[in-house]
Amino acid sequence: MPQPQMTVLEILNRTKVFFEKKGIPDARLDAEYIISYGLKMKNRMDLYLNFEKPLTPAELDVLRTMVARRATREPLQHIIGDTSFRGFIIKCDRRALIPRPETESLVDMASDCLKGVEKPFIVEIGTGTGAISIACAKEIAGAKVLATDVSEDALALARTNAEANGLAGNPDAESAASSTDSTASASSASTLTFAQGDLLNAVSADVIANVAGDASTKIDCLIANLPYIPDSEKDKLQPEVAKYDPALALFGGADGLDLVRKLLQQTEGKLKPEASILLEIGSEQGEMLKAEAEKYPWLEFTGIHKDFCNNVRFVSYKAK
């Protein structure tokens, strides 16, 4: 007598229990994402409309493979292949950090700082997947966005994401890619350009000329989500981070701020008066940077900011 076929609800419940035994955070939610993706449903809500649907052997094989990967603590975003950042679909893999929802606030902060600025020149240092720069180019009218990274692998991923989100062409320092939303006028077209290099060393006169049209152009807004985890915290990280995120994008020295301090030191003479610097940092690092503000007399420390979870997440500076 043939065995009854397992239903969507049964496999969902079994997967949830299995994930809980493996210590997976948000076990039920991850199970829903994996099963809806593996069964090629439009979204998680389709699961609830198909609880009684019997699964074929082929469908079960697909799900078993995905569940096994998540059980090793491979990130959900790597298994599915992408994540959403401000509504933009961002491809994710081992080449760069997975964009976090909390980081989305940097785009809001940039937009607020640039109100009234026409064709702002925005530079992001350490772009990773390109998520922040893509959002800035799509959301801030007329922006000239330059995204840099020391990793060529990360830049290749960022270029792929830019093209997938309508920033067509070959978006590198030699050929800026433009983006104009269907609702935008020609005057509101933004551009996104990529350049490889270490911190502000990547922002050479030639690159600036390609992006902004004039090599002497100063930056209106500098954004960075640099590695800020102290080296001593390596053993405290979740396996999803420790095993699958690139170490180059995680660790910032003894107190986590080595690269942040190096970047701040490089900003002298690079910013327009009143230009903003927006940095993502660790929850314990805001007061540390505030106490060191006098080391950068050309900058004014303008605040420590919290994310939507009410955790300290960002600091801001303004050029004098």
Side-chain angles (χ1 to χ4, degrees), residues 161-181:
N161 281 323
E163 293 178 10
N165 281 281
L167 294 157
N170 180 28
D172 56 29
E174 286 71 44
S175 176
S178 63
S179 167
T180 307
D181 290 338

Side-chain angles (χ1 to χ4, degrees), residues 82-93:
D82 58 43
T83 192
S84 176
F85 186 86
R86 296 182 70 88
F88 304 109
I89 301 303
I90 303 296
K91 177 180 171 62
C92 299
D93 59 32

Side-chain angles (χ1 to χ4, degrees), residues 233-265:
E233 294 186 11
K234 289 180 181 180
D235 295 335
K236 301 177 184 178
L237 298 176
Q238 289 279 359
E240 288 85 349
V241 176
K243 292 171 61 177
Y244 293 95
D245 279 337
L248 182 67
L250 292 174
F251 303 108
D255 65 1
L257 291 173
D258 285 2
L259 289 173
V260 171
R261 294 188 182 102
K262 184 177 178 181
L263 175 63
L264 289 170
Q265 197 66 51

Side-chain angles (χ1 to χ4, degrees), residues 79-150:
I79 297 169
I80 292 175
D82 58 43
T83 192
S84 176
F85 186 86
R86 296 182 70 88
F88 304 109
I89 301 303
I90 303 296
K91 177 180 171 62
C92 299
D93 59 32
R94 287 175 176 263
R95 289 175 287 179
L97 286 181
I98 299 165
R100 268 58 173 185
E102 297 86 349
T103 302
E104 294 184 8
S105 296
L106 277 174
V107 181
D108 292 317
M109 294 169 69
S111 183
D112 289 342
C113 291
L114 293 168
K115 285 180 178 176
V117 180
E118 292 188 8
K119 298 182 180 179
F121 179 31
I122 302 171
V123 174
E124 184 198 1
I125 303 296
T127 195
T129 63
I132 294 171
S133 286
I134 289 166
C136 286
K138 300 291 281 188
E139 296 183 28
I140 301 175
K144 307 298 181 185
V145 183
L146 172 62
T148 79
D149 206 289
V150 71

Side-chain angles (χ1 to χ4, degrees), residues 47-59:
L47 284 176
Y48 294 89
L49 300 176
N50 291 276
F51 271 168
E52 301 307 316
K53 176 184 181 296
L55 300 177
T56 68
E59 288 173 328

Side-chain angles (χ1 to χ4, degrees), residues 30 121 158 167 276 311 313:
D30 278 18
F121 179 31
L167 294 157
S276 296
N311 297 317
R313 182 73 59 179

Side-chain angles (χ1 to χ4, degrees), residues 9-67:
L9 180 58
E10 288 171 330
I11 196 67
L12 174 61
N13 289 334
R14 291 191 183 193
T15 301
K16 172 183 174 291
V17 172
F18 179 63
F19 281 170
E20 287 173 340
K21 290 179 179 178
K22 293 294 183 178
I24 305 295
D26 302 314
R28 168 79 181 204
L29 186 62
D30 278 18
E32 290 179 356
Y33 273 118
I34 283 176
I35 294 169
S36 60
Y37 179 81
L39 297 179
K40 299 180 180 180
M41 294 179 175
K42 291 181 181 179
N43 52 53
R44 286 166 44 226
M45 291 301 101
D46 278 0
L47 284 176
Y48 294 89
L49 300 176
N50 291 276
F51 271 168
E52 301 307 316
K53 176 184 181 296
L55 300 177
T56 68
E59 288 173 328
L60 285 172
D61 285 344
V62 169
L63 295 179
R64 287 191 186 102
T65 299
M66 296 176 68
V67 168

